[in-house]
Amino acid sequence: QVQFVESGGGLVQPGGSLRLSCAASGSLFSFYAMGWYRQAPGKQRELVASITSGGRSTNYADSVKGRFTLSRDNAKNTMYLQMNSLKPSDTAVYYCNRGKYYGSTYYPDDYWGQGTQVTVSS
């Protein structure tokens, strides 16, 4: 069974940085696209960023473009999200996910981690 473990969340002040990690097991990690989602209370789960299986191409939501960087280390079965210049609106539970691309659009599989809480507040 595919398993994901997210880590690295926490409480930071606006303008601060966090690096989230997603450790994957139970799948051939390097064969799949991956994505980071987030969900704030009362809001729908939102795709933050996605990356191709080889890590060659990334896509970002407009709200995080220029501030977040998604990367993956296929040798370690791990995906990362470097989050800089954090804003209070970034506060959410962040989840990693396995998926696929159809054209340039990312579609998630039905495999999710438990999430890691990111809180941006003074």
Side-chain angles (χ1 to χ4, degrees):
Q1 179 172 303
V2 177
Q3 296 181 9
F4 301 107
V5 178
E6 299 96 336
S7 62
L11 174 64
V12 296
Q13 294 184 343
S17 297
L18 287 172
R19 190 194 192 203
L20 307 184
S21 297
C22 172
S25 64
S27 68
L28 296 174
F29 179 79
S30 64
F31 291 168
Y32 294 92
M34 297 285 291
W36 281 100
Y37 286 75
R38 67 186 181 188
Q39 187 167 30
K43 295 186 177 180
Q44 293 184 336
R45 192 168 295 186
E46 173 192 26
L47 177 63
V48 176
S50 59
I51 190 167
T52 55
S53 59
R56 197 166 181 86
S57 181
T58 53
N59 296 97
Y60 300 92
D62 288 342
S63 59
V64 307
K65 194 172 298 181
R67 300 187 297 119
F68 291 9
T69 302
L70 192 158
S71 62
R72 65 192 295 167
D73 186 341
N74 286 345
K76 297 180 179 179
N77 286 359
T78 303
M79 179 175 64
Y80 307 96
L81 186 66
Q82 179 65 47
M83 309 165 65
N84 298 326
S85 301
L86 283 162
K87 305 175 180 179
S89 58
D90 296 319
T91 297
V93 178
Y94 284 71
Y95 301 89
C96 65
N97 162 262
R98 190 187 78 181
K100 64 196 80 69
Y101 282 98
Y102 293 97
S104 61
T105 303
Y106 178 81
Y107 294 87
D109 291 344
D110 292 330
Y111 298 98
W112 301 88
Q114 84 288 348
T116 185
Q117 176 71 50
V118 172
T119 302
V120 185
S121 176
S122 299

